[in-house]
Amino acid sequence: MARMDSMGWALLLALVSAGVSEAKPVKYAGLHPRTGQPEGGLCHIQAVHVHNATPVHAQVLYRQHGDVYFFIGDPVPFGYEGPRHSYYGHHPVVINIILEEDTDEDDVEYCYHDGPHHHYYPPPPRHDFDEQEDVYYYADEFPEAYRRDSPRLVQVNVIYRPWRYPRPVVVRPPPPSYRGPVVNVNVNVDVDVKVNAAPVRHEVIVVEEPDHGKHKHKKHKHKKFKDRD
């Protein structure tokens, strides 16, 4: 019996060890939701760091920058109270600029939030935005990569729809230069949409620390970027 008990414990320890070894760290950069639900709050680490879980809604709320997950949604529902910039509709996001990486090739992704929303970063340089009443509108053509990914990534609006949170106040129609969809968003309507989440907190380890500087932007054309064709 004692031998059987010893064998049982040995098997249990082997299984536990195997489970721990399979839990690979996942890299993140920039602030991001902790659990995927507003009550879970935000991780505010800007540098590249690791958690032991893949983000919730990874294929919609995040973009992969190399082997790093970058959150591209509106952080306000998750309790973000820092500096914010107001946008309307779909627009480009240049990840390497936000992460202050020194590179010759830009990693351009697209935000698919309908209507007014916030980000913690200003519009990227070398892209055309028009500002109207402190709200930024993208004022250039969208590439094929944007149109190709649109059916999947517009699901960000389904995920956000049940959450009540302050959006930028927009009282005028978009300027004529705006090329994206015009959507009236009513955030006070209850919608029965279930969103999967894993309400667990994870240890974090910083693995890289970029230099921090001030963001600058101006209106001019984007020159060179990596598109996901």
Side-chain angles (χ1 to χ4, degrees), residues 92 94 97 106 123-130 138-140 216-225:
V94 183
I97 291 178
D106 285 348
R126 302 189 294 276
H127 287 267
D128 282 341
F129 284 81
D130 281 346
Y138 183 52
D140 205 348
K216 296 180 180 180
H217 67 87
K218 58 182 178 179
K219 179 177 177 179
H220 56 104
K221 291 286 186 180
H222 178 67
K223 295 180 180 178
K224 182 180 180 183
F225 63 87

PDB file of all heavy atoms in Angstrom, residues 92 94 97 106 123-130 138-140 216-225:
ATOM      1  N   PRO A  92      -5.561  54.375 -38.809  1.00  0.00           N
ATOM      2  CA  PRO A  92      -4.311  53.621 -38.634  1.00  0.00           C
ATOM      3  C   PRO A  92      -3.698  53.852 -37.251  1.00  0.00           C
ATOM      4  O   PRO A  92      -3.894  54.888 -36.619  1.00  0.00           O
ATOM      5  CB  PRO A  92      -3.406  54.173 -39.738  1.00  0.00           C
ATOM      6  CG  PRO A  92      -3.922  55.550 -39.981  1.00  0.00           C
ATOM      7  CD  PRO A  92      -5.408  55.486 -39.755  1.00  0.00           C
ATOM      8  N   VAL A  94       0.247  53.160 -35.618  1.00  0.00           N
ATOM      9  CA  VAL A  94       1.619  52.743 -35.916  1.00  0.00           C
ATOM     10  C   VAL A  94       2.260  52.282 -34.609  1.00  0.00           C
ATOM     11  O   VAL A  94       2.639  53.079 -33.756  1.00  0.00           O
ATOM     12  CB  VAL A  94       2.432  53.879 -36.560  1.00  0.00           C
ATOM     13  CG1 VAL A  94       3.831  53.383 -36.926  1.00  0.00           C
ATOM     14  CG2 VAL A  94       1.723  54.391 -37.806  1.00  0.00           C
ATOM     15  N   ILE A  97       5.883  53.350 -33.296  1.00  0.00           N
ATOM     16  CA  ILE A  97       5.976  54.734 -32.825  1.00  0.00           C
ATOM     17  C   ILE A  97       5.453  54.850 -31.399  1.00  0.00           C
ATOM     18  O   ILE A  97       6.047  55.506 -30.540  1.00  0.00           O
ATOM     19  CB  ILE A  97       5.218  55.678 -33.777  1.00  0.00           C
ATOM     20  CG1 ILE A  97       5.950  55.767 -35.112  1.00  0.00           C
ATOM     21  CG2 ILE A  97       5.072  57.074 -33.163  1.00  0.00           C
ATOM     22  CD1 ILE A  97       5.263  56.632 -36.136  1.00  0.00           C
ATOM     23  N   ASP A 106       7.777  51.058 -40.472  1.00  0.00           N
ATOM     24  CA  ASP A 106       6.654  51.181 -39.549  1.00  0.00           C
ATOM     25  C   ASP A 106       5.752  49.953 -39.601  1.00  0.00           C
ATOM     26  O   ASP A 106       5.539  49.365 -40.663  1.00  0.00           O
ATOM     27  CB  ASP A 106       5.815  52.421 -39.878  1.00  0.00           C
ATOM     28  CG  ASP A 106       6.494  53.708 -39.437  1.00  0.00           C
ATOM     29  OD1 ASP A 106       7.484  53.623 -38.682  1.00  0.00           O
ATOM     30  OD2 ASP A 106       6.043  54.793 -39.855  1.00  0.00           O
ATOM     31  N   PRO A 123      -2.498  60.659 -32.870  1.00  0.00           N
ATOM     32  CA  PRO A 123      -2.398  60.115 -34.227  1.00  0.00           C
ATOM     33  C   PRO A 123      -0.945  59.979 -34.655  1.00  0.00           C
ATOM     34  O   PRO A 123      -0.086  60.775 -34.260  1.00  0.00           O
ATOM     35  CB  PRO A 123      -3.131  61.148 -35.081  1.00  0.00           C
ATOM     36  CG  PRO A 123      -4.065  61.817 -34.147  1.00  0.00           C
ATOM     37  CD  PRO A 123      -3.352  61.863 -32.832  1.00  0.00           C
ATOM     38  N   PRO A 124      -0.636  58.982 -35.480  1.00  0.00           N
ATOM     39  CA  PRO A 124       0.754  58.779 -35.903  1.00  0.00           C
ATOM     40  C   PRO A 124       1.188  59.834 -36.912  1.00  0.00           C
ATOM     41  O   PRO A 124       0.369  60.365 -37.675  1.00  0.00           O
ATOM     42  CB  PRO A 124       0.722  57.399 -36.546  1.00  0.00           C
ATOM     43  CG  PRO A 124      -0.684  57.252 -37.033  1.00  0.00           C
ATOM     44  CD  PRO A 124      -1.546  57.971 -36.031  1.00  0.00           C
ATOM     45  N   PRO A 125       2.459  60.152 -36.934  1.00  0.00           N
ATOM     46  CA  PRO A 125       2.965  61.047 -37.983  1.00  0.00           C
ATOM     47  C   PRO A 125       2.914  60.353 -39.333  1.00  0.00           C
ATOM     48  O   PRO A 125       2.740  59.139 -39.424  1.00  0.00           O
ATOM     49  CB  PRO A 125       4.413  61.306 -37.542  1.00  0.00           C
ATOM     50  CG  PRO A 125       4.780  60.100 -36.743  1.00  0.00           C
ATOM     51  CD  PRO A 125       3.514  59.675 -36.036  1.00  0.00           C
ATOM     52  N   ARG A 126       3.037  61.148 -40.377  1.00  0.00           N
ATOM     53  CA  ARG A 126       3.044  60.654 -41.755  1.00  0.00           C
ATOM     54  C   ARG A 126       1.711  60.025 -42.159  1.00  0.00           C
ATOM     55  O   ARG A 126       1.646  59.224 -43.087  1.00  0.00           O
ATOM     56  CB  ARG A 126       4.204  59.673 -41.981  1.00  0.00           C
ATOM     57  CG  ARG A 126       5.567  60.282 -41.695  1.00  0.00           C
ATOM     58  CD  ARG A 126       6.703  59.373 -42.129  1.00  0.00           C
ATOM     59  NE  ARG A 126       6.763  58.150 -41.357  1.00  0.00           N
ATOM     60  CZ  ARG A 126       7.379  58.047 -40.170  1.00  0.00           C
ATOM     61  NH1 ARG A 126       7.927  59.096 -39.604  1.00  0.00           N
ATOM     62  NH2 ARG A 126       7.424  56.887 -39.545  1.00  0.00           N
ATOM     63  N   HIS A 127       0.653  60.374 -41.450  1.00  0.00           N
ATOM     64  CA  HIS A 127      -0.702  59.977 -41.824  1.00  0.00           C
ATOM     65  C   HIS A 127      -1.601  61.203 -41.714  1.00  0.00           C
ATOM     66  O   HIS A 127      -1.392  62.053 -40.848  1.00  0.00           O
ATOM     67  CB  HIS A 127      -1.225  58.868 -40.904  1.00  0.00           C
ATOM     68  CG  HIS A 127      -0.590  57.542 -41.146  1.00  0.00           C
ATOM     69  ND1 HIS A 127      -1.118  56.600 -41.998  1.00  0.00           N
ATOM     70  CD2 HIS A 127       0.561  57.006 -40.663  1.00  0.00           C
ATOM     71  CE1 HIS A 127      -0.333  55.534 -42.014  1.00  0.00           C
ATOM     72  NE2 HIS A 127       0.689  55.761 -41.218  1.00  0.00           N
ATOM     73  N   ASP A 128      -2.605  61.278 -42.578  1.00  0.00           N
ATOM     74  CA  ASP A 128      -3.474  62.449 -42.617  1.00  0.00           C
ATOM     75  C   ASP A 128      -4.650  62.291 -41.663  1.00  0.00           C
ATOM     76  O   ASP A 128      -5.463  61.370 -41.806  1.00  0.00           O
ATOM     77  CB  ASP A 128      -4.016  62.681 -44.033  1.00  0.00           C
ATOM     78  CG  ASP A 128      -2.975  63.327 -44.931  1.00  0.00           C
ATOM     79  OD1 ASP A 128      -2.015  63.908 -44.398  1.00  0.00           O
ATOM     80  OD2 ASP A 128      -3.129  63.244 -46.166  1.00  0.00           O
ATOM     81  N   PHE A 129      -4.744  63.192 -40.702  1.00  0.00           N
ATOM     82  CA  PHE A 129      -5.892  63.292 -39.813  1.00  0.00           C
ATOM     83  C   PHE A 129      -6.366  64.737 -39.805  1.00  0.00           C
ATOM     84  O   PHE A 129      -5.551  65.662 -39.831  1.00  0.00           O
ATOM     85  CB  PHE A 129      -5.530  62.897 -38.376  1.00  0.00           C
ATOM     86  CG  PHE A 129      -5.383  61.425 -38.148  1.00  0.00           C
ATOM     87  CD1 PHE A 129      -4.210  60.764 -38.491  1.00  0.00           C
ATOM     88  CD2 PHE A 129      -6.407  60.696 -37.578  1.00  0.00           C
ATOM     89  CE1 PHE A 129      -4.064  59.406 -38.277  1.00  0.00           C
ATOM     90  CE2 PHE A 129      -6.281  59.340 -37.345  1.00  0.00           C
ATOM     91  CZ  PHE A 129      -5.103  58.686 -37.709  1.00  0.00           C
ATOM     92  N   ASP A 130      -7.665  64.918 -39.774  1.00  0.00           N
ATOM     93  CA  ASP A 130      -8.236  66.242 -39.567  1.00  0.00           C
ATOM     94  C   ASP A 130      -8.813  66.307 -38.163  1.00  0.00           C
ATOM     95  O   ASP A 130      -9.470  65.358 -37.708  1.00  0.00           O
ATOM     96  CB  ASP A 130      -9.331  66.542 -40.599  1.00  0.00           C
ATOM     97  CG  ASP A 130      -8.748  66.946 -41.942  1.00  0.00           C
ATOM     98  OD1 ASP A 130      -7.535  67.244 -41.989  1.00  0.00           O
ATOM     99  OD2 ASP A 130      -9.488  66.954 -42.946  1.00  0.00           O
ATOM    100  N   TYR A 138      -9.628  60.266 -39.497  1.00  0.00           N
ATOM    101  CA  TYR A 138      -8.668  59.859 -40.517  1.00  0.00           C
ATOM    102  C   TYR A 138      -9.112  60.376 -41.874  1.00  0.00           C
ATOM    103  O   TYR A 138     -10.277  60.200 -42.264  1.00  0.00           O
ATOM    104  CB  TYR A 138      -8.533  58.341 -40.537  1.00  0.00           C
ATOM    105  CG  TYR A 138      -7.496  57.847 -41.512  1.00  0.00           C
ATOM    106  CD1 TYR A 138      -6.194  58.348 -41.492  1.00  0.00           C
ATOM    107  CD2 TYR A 138      -7.811  56.859 -42.451  1.00  0.00           C
ATOM    108  CE1 TYR A 138      -5.240  57.889 -42.375  1.00  0.00           C
ATOM    109  CE2 TYR A 138      -6.855  56.391 -43.333  1.00  0.00           C
ATOM    110  CZ  TYR A 138      -5.570  56.909 -43.295  1.00  0.00           C
ATOM    111  OH  TYR A 138      -4.626  56.453 -44.175  1.00  0.00           O
ATOM    112  N   ALA A 139      -8.185  60.981 -42.620  1.00  0.00           N
ATOM    113  CA  ALA A 139      -8.548  61.687 -43.845  1.00  0.00           C
ATOM    114  C   ALA A 139      -7.742  61.197 -45.043  1.00  0.00           C
ATOM    115  O   ALA A 139      -7.275  61.988 -45.862  1.00  0.00           O
ATOM    116  CB  ALA A 139      -8.345  63.193 -43.655  1.00  0.00           C
ATOM    117  N   ASP A 140      -7.593  59.891 -45.165  1.00  0.00           N
ATOM    118  CA  ASP A 140      -6.858  59.344 -46.305  1.00  0.00           C
ATOM    119  C   ASP A 140      -7.498  58.017 -46.711  1.00  0.00           C
ATOM    120  O   ASP A 140      -8.376  57.501 -46.027  1.00  0.00           O
ATOM    121  CB  ASP A 140      -5.389  59.154 -45.947  1.00  0.00           C
ATOM    122  CG  ASP A 140      -4.496  59.176 -47.187  1.00  0.00           C
ATOM    123  OD1 ASP A 140      -5.032  59.105 -48.308  1.00  0.00           O
ATOM    124  OD2 ASP A 140      -3.264  59.256 -47.022  1.00  0.00           O
ATOM    125  N   LYS A 216       4.982  63.212 -30.513  1.00  0.00           N
ATOM    126  CA  LYS A 216       4.730  64.377 -31.346  1.00  0.00           C
ATOM    127  C   LYS A 216       4.004  63.908 -32.593  1.00  0.00           C
ATOM    128  O   LYS A 216       4.203  62.802 -33.062  1.00  0.00           O
ATOM    129  CB  LYS A 216       6.045  65.059 -31.736  1.00  0.00           C
ATOM    130  CG  LYS A 216       6.816  65.623 -30.538  1.00  0.00           C
ATOM    131  CD  LYS A 216       8.095  66.290 -30.992  1.00  0.00           C
ATOM    132  CE  LYS A 216       8.875  66.851 -29.811  1.00  0.00           C
ATOM    133  NZ  LYS A 216      10.137  67.512 -30.233  1.00  0.00           N
ATOM    134  N   HIS A 217       3.180  64.785 -33.135  1.00  0.00           N
ATOM    135  CA  HIS A 217       2.533  64.421 -34.389  1.00  0.00           C
ATOM    136  C   HIS A 217       2.209  65.665 -35.180  1.00  0.00           C
ATOM    137  O   HIS A 217       2.037  66.749 -34.622  1.00  0.00           O
ATOM    138  CB  HIS A 217       1.250  63.612 -34.132  1.00  0.00           C
ATOM    139  CG  HIS A 217       0.167  64.386 -33.465  1.00  0.00           C
ATOM    140  ND1 HIS A 217      -0.744  65.128 -34.160  1.00  0.00           N
ATOM    141  CD2 HIS A 217      -0.139  64.546 -32.164  1.00  0.00           C
ATOM    142  CE1 HIS A 217      -1.576  65.699 -33.329  1.00  0.00           C
ATOM    143  NE2 HIS A 217      -1.229  65.374 -32.117  1.00  0.00           N
ATOM    144  N   LYS A 218       2.127  65.489 -36.489  1.00  0.00           N
ATOM    145  CA  LYS A 218       1.711  66.562 -37.365  1.00  0.00           C
ATOM    146  C   LYS A 218       1.080  65.913 -38.584  1.00  0.00           C
ATOM    147  O   LYS A 218       1.189  64.702 -38.794  1.00  0.00           O
ATOM    148  CB  LYS A 218       2.893  67.437 -37.772  1.00  0.00           C
ATOM    149  CG  LYS A 218       4.020  66.694 -38.477  1.00  0.00           C
ATOM    150  CD  LYS A 218       5.155  67.627 -38.782  1.00  0.00           C
ATOM    151  CE  LYS A 218       6.312  66.880 -39.453  1.00  0.00           C
ATOM    152  NZ  LYS A 218       7.425  67.780 -39.787  1.00  0.00           N
ATOM    153  N   LYS A 219       0.446  66.705 -39.359  1.00  0.00           N
ATOM    154  CA  LYS A 219      -0.289  66.163 -40.493  1.00  0.00           C
ATOM    155  C   LYS A 219       0.615  66.129 -41.721  1.00  0.00           C
ATOM    156  O   LYS A 219       0.988  67.149 -42.268  1.00  0.00           O
ATOM    157  CB  LYS A 219      -1.518  67.027 -40.774  1.00  0.00           C
ATOM    158  CG  LYS A 219      -2.340  66.554 -41.959  1.00  0.00           C
ATOM    159  CD  LYS A 219      -3.576  67.399 -42.124  1.00  0.00           C
ATOM    160  CE  LYS A 219      -4.360  66.963 -43.346  1.00  0.00           C
ATOM    161  NZ  LYS A 219      -5.574  67.740 -43.536  1.00  0.00           N
ATOM    162  N   HIS A 220       0.984  64.934 -42.143  1.00  0.00           N
ATOM    163  CA  HIS A 220       1.686  64.741 -43.395  1.00  0.00           C
ATOM    164  C   HIS A 220       1.617  63.278 -43.768  1.00  0.00           C
ATOM    165  O   HIS A 220       1.167  62.446 -42.997  1.00  0.00           O
ATOM    166  CB  HIS A 220       3.135  65.238 -43.331  1.00  0.00           C
ATOM    167  CG  HIS A 220       3.943  64.628 -42.233  1.00  0.00           C
ATOM    168  ND1 HIS A 220       4.885  63.655 -42.443  1.00  0.00           N
ATOM    169  CD2 HIS A 220       3.941  64.864 -40.894  1.00  0.00           C
ATOM    170  CE1 HIS A 220       5.442  63.324 -41.309  1.00  0.00           C
ATOM    171  NE2 HIS A 220       4.892  64.033 -40.345  1.00  0.00           N
ATOM    172  N   LYS A 221       2.065  62.960 -44.947  1.00  0.00           N
ATOM    173  CA  LYS A 221       1.868  61.629 -45.519  1.00  0.00           C
ATOM    174  C   LYS A 221       2.794  60.602 -44.892  1.00  0.00           C
ATOM    175  O   LYS A 221       3.939  60.897 -44.568  1.00  0.00           O
ATOM    176  CB  LYS A 221       2.095  61.668 -47.035  1.00  0.00           C
ATOM    177  CG  LYS A 221       1.014  62.430 -47.776  1.00  0.00           C
ATOM    178  CD  LYS A 221      -0.273  61.637 -47.833  1.00  0.00           C
ATOM    179  CE  LYS A 221      -1.297  62.351 -48.691  1.00  0.00           C
ATOM    180  NZ  LYS A 221      -2.555  61.601 -48.762  1.00  0.00           N
ATOM    181  N   HIS A 222       2.276  59.379 -44.790  1.00  0.00           N
ATOM    182  CA  HIS A 222       3.091  58.242 -44.351  1.00  0.00           C
ATOM    183  C   HIS A 222       3.973  57.813 -45.506  1.00  0.00           C
ATOM    184  O   HIS A 222       3.539  57.723 -46.646  1.00  0.00           O
ATOM    185  CB  HIS A 222       2.163  57.095 -43.934  1.00  0.00           C
ATOM    186  CG  HIS A 222       2.884  55.884 -43.510  1.00  0.00           C
ATOM    187  ND1 HIS A 222       3.644  55.843 -42.383  1.00  0.00           N
ATOM    188  CD2 HIS A 222       2.962  54.664 -44.084  1.00  0.00           C
ATOM    189  CE1 HIS A 222       4.159  54.650 -42.261  1.00  0.00           C
ATOM    190  NE2 HIS A 222       3.765  53.917 -43.273  1.00  0.00           N
ATOM    191  N   LYS A 223       5.247  57.522 -45.224  1.00  0.00           N
ATOM    192  CA  LYS A 223       6.189  57.209 -46.288  1.00  0.00           C
ATOM    193  C   LYS A 223       6.378  55.722 -46.522  1.00  0.00           C
ATOM    194  O   LYS A 223       6.318  55.237 -47.623  1.00  0.00           O
ATOM    195  CB  LYS A 223       7.544  57.855 -45.967  1.00  0.00           C
ATOM    196  CG  LYS A 223       7.499  59.390 -45.972  1.00  0.00           C
ATOM    197  CD  LYS A 223       8.857  59.960 -45.640  1.00  0.00           C
ATOM    198  CE  LYS A 223       8.828  61.485 -45.642  1.00  0.00           C
ATOM    199  NZ  LYS A 223      10.147  62.052 -45.277  1.00  0.00           N
ATOM    200  N   LYS A 224       6.641  54.979 -45.468  1.00  0.00           N
ATOM    201  CA  LYS A 224       7.002  53.571 -45.637  1.00  0.00           C
ATOM    202  C   LYS A 224       6.462  52.777 -44.480  1.00  0.00           C
ATOM    203  O   LYS A 224       6.607  53.172 -43.341  1.00  0.00           O
ATOM    204  CB  LYS A 224       8.521  53.440 -45.696  1.00  0.00           C
ATOM    205  CG  LYS A 224       9.033  52.015 -45.930  1.00  0.00           C
ATOM    206  CD  LYS A 224      10.532  52.022 -45.960  1.00  0.00           C
ATOM    207  CE  LYS A 224      11.090  50.628 -46.189  1.00  0.00           C
ATOM    208  NZ  LYS A 224      12.549  50.604 -46.151  1.00  0.00           N
ATOM    209  N   PHE A 225       5.808  51.654 -44.754  1.00  0.00           N
ATOM    210  CA  PHE A 225       5.276  50.857 -43.661  1.00  0.00           C
ATOM    211  C   PHE A 225       5.165  49.413 -44.076  1.00  0.00           C
ATOM    212  O   PHE A 225       5.182  49.071 -45.238  1.00  0.00           O
ATOM    213  CB  PHE A 225       3.939  51.392 -43.168  1.00  0.00           C
ATOM    214  CG  PHE A 225       2.837  51.354 -44.185  1.00  0.00           C
ATOM    215  CD1 PHE A 225       2.059  50.220 -44.336  1.00  0.00           C
ATOM    216  CD2 PHE A 225       2.582  52.442 -45.003  1.00  0.00           C
ATOM    217  CE1 PHE A 225       1.046  50.175 -45.255  1.00  0.00           C
ATOM    218  CE2 PHE A 225       1.569  52.392 -45.935  1.00  0.00           C
ATOM    219  CZ  PHE A 225       0.800  51.261 -46.061  1.00  0.00           C
TER     220      PHE A 225
END
